[in-house]
Amino acid sequence: MDAFSYLSVLISIILGLAVTQVLQGFRGLMLARSRVRAYWPSIAWAVLLLLFDVQAWWAMYDLRFYRDWNFL
């Protein structure tokens, strides 16, 4: 395994946990929709975070040809 494989797995796990947290927030909002009023900037921010996560994962895939990985 090369350095990209190790780094991509780590980043994928972290981004997967971030997506899970945002989707759990949406689930909680949907389950409590009769008691809680949704605030649209919070919904927009959560959707934007999901887009950022997908974009970061896709940008990480583009770095697969980079060979000079180091700790810094």
Side-chain angles (χ1 to χ4, degrees):
M1 258 175 119
D2 58 341
F4 172 75
S5 298
Y6 287 110
L7 188 60
S8 65
V9 167
L10 179 65
I11 296 294
S12 295
I13 290 171
I14 292 170
L15 290 176
L17 290 172
V19 168
T20 301
Q21 287 293 318
V22 172
L23 292 179
Q24 281 180 347
F26 279 137
R27 179 186 178 272
L29 186 62
M30 288 175 58
L31 290 176
R33 68 180 175 264
S34 63
R35 298 170 300 180
V36 176
R37 200 169 143 202
Y39 186 54
W40 73 266
S42 298
I43 302 295
W45 181 248
V47 170
L48 192 62
L49 283 176
L50 284 175
L51 289 174
F52 284 160
D53 285 340
V54 170
Q55 197 278 332
W57 179 75
W58 194 254
M60 186 67 196
Y61 181 72
D62 194 35
L63 293 174
R64 69 189 181 278
F65 297 120
Y66 188 74
R67 294 290 172 215
D68 297 325
W69 292 99
N70 59 21
F71 184 71
L72 299 175

